Amino acid sequence: MEKVVQNVNYEDFGAIGDGETDDMEAICAAHDYANTHGLPVKTKPDATYYIGAKALTAVIETDVDWSTTRFTIDDTVVDNNKLPCFHVRSVHKPVELKIQALTRDQQQLDLSLEENCYVIVTNANVKKFIRFGLNQDNGTNQTDCFIVNKDGSIVSPIDWDYEEITKVEAWPIDNSVLKISGGIFTTIANRGESKYDYYGRGIDITRSNTVIDGVVHYIAGEVGHGSPYRGFLNAMRCAYVTIQNSFVSGHKIYTTIGSAGEPVSMGSYDVHANSVIDFKLINCRMNNITDRTRWGVVASNFCKNIRVENCVISRLDAHMGVSGTYTIKDSYIGWQGVKAIGRGLLTLDNVISYGNSLVEFRNDYGSTWEGDVIIRDSKWIPYNGDARTSVFAVRNNGMHDFGYTCYMPQNVEIINLHIDDSNVPGDDEGFYLFSNPCDDQSQDTVKPYPYVSSKKVICRNITSQSGKQLKICRNPMPFAETELIITE
């Protein structure tokens, strides 16, 4: 390009935009030019760009306005199903940072930096999240992500004690916000074998201070089998990422054989966050949040501080831990509900949920929530009409080592919760706050990995459609020392 331009478009690099010609090489070239010259990208609103099988990734380092431009991502045949079609990344390079040890909730490091940095540390000699059940495994390396300011102060909590650290990665945090606006994407779903071979042909985000605004994603061409997706919008190893005013889609549920040799449902996601600090989902929507043939759309691992506000989505899942704050406000949550593992403060504020439980603390990771739960001004509509439904789903018999001590939520406060149990069998005995943590109701057996009971539970103005009263648990023995306050 020899002419002086204020923004870059794909046609200047050979894109056709007819929905049939593979335009990915031109798209990559346009973004390369924009990155080199520090220019934004602005596409034709009426174009449709086809992205075919080629193993190419368009690197985004400048603002993008996709407006009402359409993209067709054809996953029926691909050269590399792991490569993202777009990668939003920082212009900064990682910096060397030496950290030999850390303690839980440490707030200061003895160092100084030129820029505030996102840091992720690993101790490969310690395993956490040793999974139990049909997808059992040997755990993952002990991992923490956090922000270190220039003066060495640590932002966001350190979750574990680290006697040694085997790997440190640090990236300077971009001061400016990079914004991706618009874009209507349709993925033609893969026809692969139904096994754990996750597709990643979407938009990866590894740049701190990124806003995704107004992206729309549809799925077409699903058949009776296929490989799962790790996320069309996939944020990883960065801080301050917001996805707002966007539309996402649920994938069909496929089954495979899990590590325990039994059939399991495979999770396929449209939004995924891994090791992200301050991840926000604002004013996002999807269709059919109670369609039980489709998997829930949002999952996360190892994140610090998640906020979901004014959203309509089928599932929120803090899979292998969230710490700090996990806030859901003014939102509708569908049939797969809210799932959580971690520590800190979990808040549901003006939430309407259709999950089998209002909150499920995942039993494959010990049903642990080391912290507090606040539920305010919310409504729960148990979707399956199960007579054994509880507000909090927990399960841990104290016999499995998950790599950490497991806790029921330590302090619970529920204010103004209405339970619409109109589809629950009429002869049901009523609702329980907690499901039975274990089948063994005897407390005489010594548990090698005890499940720590709640300290205090306060319930004010909990009502049900049937008028039935809330009780603590079918097995009250684990709650013998829990302070329970229930008032109208």
Side-chain angles (χ1 to χ4, degrees):
M1 293 181 63
E2 296 181 355
K3 63 182 180 180
V4 177
V5 295
Q6 293 182 331
N7 51 60
V8 175
N9 67 63
Y10 296 155
E11 281 69 25
D12 283 338
F13 294 84
I16 304 301
D18 61 1
E20 298 179 359
T21 305
D22 193 336
D23 288 319
M24 196 56 186
E25 289 186 6
I27 290 171
C28 290
H31 282 287
D32 284 344
Y33 183 90
N35 298 340
T36 300
H37 296 83
L39 293 170
V41 171
K42 185 176 177 63
T43 58
K44 292 177 61 177
D46 59 347
T48 299
Y49 300 107
Y50 176 81
I51 298 175
K54 297 175 183 177
L56 296 171
T57 297
V59 175
I60 297 175
E61 296 176 351
T62 63
D63 289 348
V64 178
D65 181 4
W66 280 320
S67 183
T68 55
T69 303
R70 294 182 177 271
F71 296 81
T72 300
I73 301 174
D74 190 346
D75 283 351
T76 53
V77 178
V78 297
D79 293 339
N80 186 335
N81 69 334
K82 307 300 182 188
L83 279 182
C85 296
F86 297 89
H87 182 188
V88 184
R89 74 179 189 189
S90 172
V91 298
H92 294 301
K93 302 300 181 184
V95 298
E96 184 177 355
L97 197 61
K98 293 183 178 180
I99 306 174
Q100 295 183 337
L102 283 169
T103 58
R104 192 184 205 211
D105 291 325
Q106 183 173 333
Q107 296 182 350
Q108 186 70 39
L109 290 172
D110 185 17
L111 52 77
S112 60
L113 302 169
E114 293 184 4
E115 301 288 343
N116 297 342
C117 284
Y118 168 93
V119 180
I120 186 167
V121 297
T122 303
N123 182 359
N125 297 317
V126 174
K127 299 298 182 183
K128 302 291 185 183
F129 301 102
I130 303 170
R131 198 171 189 179
F132 177 78
L134 297 179
N135 281 321
Q136 62 195 23
D137 60 29
N138 295 320
T140 61
N141 293 339
Q142 185 182 42
T143 302
D144 254 293
C145 61
F146 51 93
I147 294 168
V148 178
N149 290 329
K150 290 186 285 186
D151 62 359
S153 58
I154 296 175
V155 179
S156 72
I158 305 297
D159 282 335
W160 316 108
D161 289 322
Y162 290 80
E163 294 182 0
E164 64 174 328
I165 293 173
T166 58
K167 186 176 182 181
V168 180
E169 300 175 58
W171 288 269
I173 293 177
D174 295 83
N175 292 321
S176 62
V177 174
L178 187 150
K179 189 172 184 180
I180 311 291
S181 301
I184 302 169
F185 293 81
T186 299
T187 294
I188 301 176
N190 75 79
R191 313 290 171 83
E193 184 181 351
S194 294
K195 63 179 183 179
Y196 286 115
D197 182 22
Y198 283 96
Y199 274 61
R201 282 174 38 98
I203 302 172
D204 279 6
I205 304 151
T206 61
R207 183 195 190 274
S208 294
N209 270 328
T210 296
V211 173
I212 306 293
D213 188 2
V215 167
V216 174
H217 182 232
Y218 299 112
I219 302 159
E222 289 180 301
V223 293
H225 59 87
S227 293
Y229 284 81
R230 64 181 170 92
F232 179 74
L233 296 172
N234 187 41
M236 302 176 292
R237 298 188 172 213
C238 56
Y240 312 127
V241 174
T242 298
I243 299 171
Q244 62 188 27
N245 307 318
S246 294
F247 181 91
V248 294
S249 296
H251 290 256
K252 280 185 176 294
I253 298 176
Y254 300 125
T255 60
T256 190
I257 301 300
S259 55
E262 298 293 332
V264 294
S265 297
M266 289 189 299
S268 221
Y269 307 100
D270 232 29
V271 179
H272 186 226
N274 196 312
S275 298
V276 177
I277 302 167
D278 284 6
F279 177 71
K280 295 180 181 178
L281 203 62
I282 309 295
N283 194 32
C284 292
R285 297 287 189 274
M286 65 175 292
N287 288 335
N288 305 318
I289 64 172
T290 59
D291 182 353
R292 296 170 73 88
T293 69
R294 296 190 175 273
W295 198 257
V297 293
V298 182
S300 69
N301 292 301
F302 311 118
C303 288
K304 307 286 178 74
N305 304 332
I306 295 175
R307 185 173 185 86
V308 176
E309 188 169 349
N310 195 29
C311 290
V312 180
I313 48 181
S314 57
R315 158 177 162 145
L316 281 169
D317 187 358
H319 185 245
M320 280 187 284
V322 58
S323 60
T325 58
Y326 183 13
T327 302
I328 307 162
K329 180 176 172 59
D330 300 332
S331 295
Y332 288 79
I333 309 297
W335 76 276
Q336 284 196 325
V338 175
K339 304 178 190 296
I341 289 293
R343 73 181 186 114
L345 176 60
L346 168 61
T347 303
L348 277 65
D349 188 353
N350 191 29
V351 170
I352 297 178
S353 174
Y354 295 85
N356 293 343
S357 296
L358 186 58
V359 179
E360 177 186 342
F361 296 102
R362 295 183 58 127
N363 61 45
D364 49 351
Y365 293 110
S367 293
T368 186
W369 186 263
E370 188 183 359
D372 299 342
V373 176
I374 297 175
I375 298 171
R376 290 187 294 252
D377 302 325
S378 294
K379 184 177 182 179
W380 174 37
I381 308 168
Y383 184 73
N384 66 351
D386 189 347
R388 299 182 64 83
T389 303
S390 56
V391 176
F392 298 123
V394 297
R395 188 172 180 81
N396 185 335
N397 63 8
M399 304 302 290
H400 179 77
D401 180 11
F402 293 93
Y404 40 76
T405 302
C406 293
Y407 296 82
M408 297 182 197
Q410 292 297 279
N411 296 285
V412 175
E413 185 174 19
I414 305 176
I415 302 173
N416 299 332
L417 172 65
H418 181 68
I419 303 170
D420 183 351
D421 57 350
S422 50
N423 66 336
V424 172
D427 59 353
D428 179 52
E429 60 193 88
F431 280 88
Y432 290 87
L433 192 59
F434 290 90
S435 62
N436 187 359
C438 58
D439 292 329
D440 178 13
Q441 296 191 16
S442 171
Q443 298 302 297
D444 297 334
T445 306
V446 176
K447 310 292 186 182
Y449 308 102
Y451 189 29
V452 181
S453 297
S454 299
K455 294 178 180 177
K456 187 174 184 178
V457 176
I458 299 173
C459 300
R460 294 192 175 95
N461 192 30
I462 298 181
T463 60
S464 66
Q465 198 77 8
S466 64
K468 293 175 182 177
Q469 299 300 307
L470 187 71
K471 306 170 188 175
I472 183 71
C473 183
R474 284 181 173 84
N475 176 11
M477 297 186 71
F479 302 91
E481 297 183 4
T482 300
E483 182 182 357
L484 180 61
I485 302 172
I486 301 179
T487 61
E488 294 183 357

